[in-house]
Amino acid sequence: MRSRYASLAAVLLASHAYAQAPIKTLPYPQTKKVDTVTTYFGTKVADPYRWLENDQAADTKGWVQEQNKVTQNYLSQIPYRDAIRKRLETLWNYEKFGAPYKEGKYTYFTKNTGLQSQSVLYRQLGNGAPEVFLDPNAFSKDGTTSLAGLSFTKDGSLAAYSISEGGSDWRKVIVMRASDKSIVGDTLKDVKFSGTAWKGNDGFYYSSYDKPKSGSQLAGKTQIHRLMYHKLGTPQSADQLVFGGEKTPRRYVGAYLTEDERFLVISARNTTTGNELYIQDLSKPGSSIVQVVDNEKNNVGVLDNVGSKLYIETNLNAPNNRVVTVDAANPKPANWKDLIPEGKNVLNATTGGGKIFANYLKDATSLIEQYDMNGKKERSITLPSVGTAGGFSTKKGEKETYYTFTSYIYPPTIFKYDIATGKSTVWKKAGVQFDPTKFESKQVFYTSKDGTRVPMIITHKKGLALTGKNPTLLYAYGGFNSSVTPSFSTSNIVLLENGGIYAVANLRGGGEYGEKWHNAGTKLQKQNVFDDFIAAGEYLVKNNYTSKDYLAIAGGSNGGLLVGAVMAQRPDMVKVAFPAVGVMDMLRYNQFTAGAGWAYDYGTAQDSKEMFEYLYKYSPYHALKPASYPATMVTTADHDDRVVPAHSFKFASKLQETQKGSAPVLIRVETKAGHGAGRSTAQVISEQTDKWAFMFQNMGVTPYQNN
């Protein structure tokens, strides 16, 4: 191993000489407390740090600067921080590709040469030389403006692309002529939670909200989504309202067209789970929008069509999902007929080349089957190993498609798939410095508090001695029907090559076992998620993978809530905690941006006395009491307009106030960044460097000492 990384010899040898020493922490800023109290069902709840919700205020900005000063002062004293950064830069510096797709006569794909801030979009004509089509690195000098979406007209002659500035969910949409890359018309502004769906070459559908007129435009509530139609060559002010708005208020409205552009499909919902479904037959001038599903109790979407025959994927009467067909003339659920019935594994379907690809989740890993359009199974697709396969989506006329396969020890590899023969061939293989044969990744099942069997995948070096002193990072999410499946992380190499262990638990609240698994971790069942996470940590300790002094927990967004809640309930359980962009104030989360849409999973403090008391008990910000908490680095970003940074600001303030132990409590606030997507490579490497340095320092582990 050392010879393979000879270029780092000087750095690694230097790091061997480091001795762990306590770091002098600057005094935490004196965070003022205000007398703010809200009464819920007769209970008075103090909120002394509510002033930090005003992200535009000078005192909030001053607080952030002072906290970042404390954090950077601490991190700068970690002797091997630079060695970790250089190692990550070396690891990251390889070509990365995105799976190709065809638009018009061109094949498009993304490529990053290694350390570019953003990946570049290329196109290629046949076997000709690729050319740059769109370079997001030219969007801004510091690489913090990213490409956030792209759609082409059916003939490939026009492209609408959206950009995100500083990681914000608010987008700008720009139309480009593909032939000469010239800009067409005006830039659309204030677009949020939206794709772009072309109708011929005349214009496209998109969705947005009215931007908040007062207060913070990042934190302001966004309640009423509007589906709009933009005709090219006209100003945005002339765009037509298609659906939503005050007459049919919905919090999330999205639309897309079937490939033949006959049907406009509209999804409308008020929460992140379940949706109404509407269609409009665009082949009939003046046709009305027809309601297919009139409630939000289930997830439903149109996969494809053959003439008037619609192919629909849904979990209505099928918690693990199924594919049904129906004639568009009578599309109500009563007329649906099973094409691919519900099975024991969770289904996620795509189409391409006149086929249906059924991507099943089997214990959180991929199992792929190919069907014809009549529902006849043609084959099971052979994958390289146990892991995650994604893709299998292309136009009907194509004879091949692409998919990406990855696992915790299998760097992302893009395969070209021949639809007729079922043969897969490697298109691009990741060039990262990682030898999978030296590592192992295995799935185990452990028992949660109430007896539920929960899967977890544990990854480490082959032959690793389980001494109970292996630095271990336990990660989970557990919410919003989202499934955490195996994926390779370049950053995790730093942990694994230093004798560390990476563990991922598939908690209830996720979608790994369908809607029943999801619902078992929502509202008044949310404690199940925390219990599952605690049981995962206890399993790792009991089986000698690690011990309390060498265990860290991490999670982001809903996973940040998970880490915060578990810290409050079991401060003795771990040594280090990384709550990232977390939902920390469960009594007020629905007061910001689109937070009210999360009520399906969480419930709200206004729902009932029972719901309030349940939320109040586990809400991380409120649940913190004087105790000895683990070393904690809270992370957030100044442009996060999904989970506003106030959550993290308030939690960090309360944690610094209640910390009775000697472990540091830091908050790291990234600038010109949002909830996570679109960050520059430099921002990602910087944050990962600080994460590993903080973790190793507080575990008393010197990285690269024994490699």
Side-chain angles (χ1 to χ4, degrees), residues 551-593:
L551 178 61
I553 52 176
S557 196
N558 174 74
L561 158 64
L562 170 70
V563 172
V566 168
M567 283 176 61
Q569 293 180 17
R570 288 290 305 276
D572 62 315
M573 181 178 138
V574 301
K575 188 71 172 179
V576 180
F578 294 109
V581 293
V583 187
M584 299 307 202
D585 185 341
M586 298 308 296
L587 303 186
R588 287 178 58 78
Y589 75 85
N590 55 326
Q591 303 301 312
F592 307 102
T593 63

Side-chain angles (χ1 to χ4, degrees), residues 224-266:
I224 300 176
H225 220 190
R226 292 175 174 81
L227 177 64
M228 308 296 294
Y229 178 74
H230 175 70
K231 183 175 176 60
L232 288 189
T234 64
Q236 187 176 4
S237 59
D239 291 354
Q240 300 173 1
L241 175 67
V242 178
F243 187 92
E246 281 73 11
K247 289 186 178 180
T248 51
R250 301 292 186 272
R251 193 168 284 114
Y252 308 107
V253 179
Y256 53 96
L257 273 67
T258 51
E259 186 181 328
D260 61 3
E261 298 193 355
R262 175 173 173 178
F263 294 102
L264 172 68
V265 182
I266 302 172

Side-chain angles (χ1 to χ4, degrees), residues 3 49 95 99 117 147 177-178 234 244 249 291 381 383-384 413 443 519 527 656 668 689 698 705:
S3 61
Y49 300 115
E95 285 187 333
S117 292
L147 179 64
R177 186 174 286 107
T234 64
Q291 190 176 66
I381 297 172
L383 299 175
T413 301
Q443 188 171 60
N519 286 332
Q527 184 60 40
Q656 288 177 349
R668 185 185 188 280
T689 295
N698 283 281
Q705 191 169 32

